[in-house]
Amino acid sequence: IPGPTGENNLWEGARVYRLAPDGGLSVLANCEYPNGLALSPDERTMYVANTRSSQYIHAIRLDADGNMMARSIFADLNEGTEPGIPDGLKVDSIGRVYCTGPGGIWVMSPEGSRIGVIRWPEQAVNFAFGGPDLRTLFCCAHTSVYTLRVKIPGNPHPWYKLRGK
């Protein structure tokens, strides 16, 4: 089934949807070209990587039921000329946001300021925290997968929390 029509590789009406526990589906937010999604450790902020013309990360504040209360630009990733776009997006257990971007994986404080960039031999495309302690960063690049041990573990996916992991 073809997707929505658009110009310049943008989708008309691109959205982030919310699937409620009762199975109801609703639009959480309209976004230009949403890609990576991640929740803050308290699950009250959803981060959305916008991949195409305006490369930034949205911060969507959620109420206790998971509905949008407010929205802002969390970080602007339009800097630099190195290859890389906002795509892969994760949060660590203390709320720092990691996102692929120009030059590697950008690491940002919970307030949105860039702390640094993790650089790889190739362009970072996506990544995940893994291993039994969630302290191994697995980075997918164009021809290889790289690993890096980190001091702070990744934030467990909510599904793992439900399973008691």
Side-chain angles (χ1 to χ4, degrees):
I1 298 174
T5 61
E7 294 182 23
N8 298 323
N9 206 18
L10 300 177
W11 294 336
E12 292 176 9
R15 297 170 175 87
V16 174
Y17 291 89
R18 176 182 179 271
L19 180 62
D22 67 3
L25 186 65
S26 61
V27 173
L28 178 66
N30 293 314
C31 293
E32 184 180 341
Y33 200 104
N35 199 333
L37 303 170
L39 289 169
S40 62
D42 67 2
E43 299 182 14
R44 296 303 293 268
T45 302
M46 174 175 275
Y47 300 101
V48 181
N50 191 68
T51 299
R52 292 295 187 255
S53 59
S54 296
Q55 297 180 11
Y56 52 84
I57 300 170
H58 295 275
I60 301 172
R61 292 290 302 154
L62 306 172
D63 66 17
D65 293 325
N67 299 301
M68 182 173 71
M69 295 177 13
R71 174 175 160 174
S72 62
I73 300 297
F74 174 76
D76 184 341
L77 280 75
N78 287 291
E79 294 179 24
T81 58
E82 295 175 277
I85 58 172
D87 186 354
L89 180 71
K90 305 292 183 286
V91 176
D92 71 16
S93 61
I94 60 172
R96 294 183 300 190
V97 177
Y98 295 63
C99 188
T100 58
I105 297 174
W106 290 34
V107 182
M108 289 146 288
S109 73
E111 297 74 40
S113 61
R114 187 172 68 180
I115 297 168
V117 177
I118 302 170
R119 299 190 180 276
W120 308 93
E122 300 178 70
Q123 179 182 336
V125 178
N126 209 333
F127 63 96
F129 287 99
D133 59 0
L134 294 178
R135 288 185 46 225
T136 301
L137 192 64
F138 294 91
C139 175
C140 300
H142 288 288
T143 67
S144 304
V145 175
Y146 298 93
T147 63
L148 175 71
R149 288 292 288 168
V150 294
K151 293 179 182 178
I152 305 298
N155 190 38
H157 187 280
W159 183 77
Y160 288 103
K161 292 177 188 176
L162 290 173
R163 295 182 59 219
K165 300 282 182 188

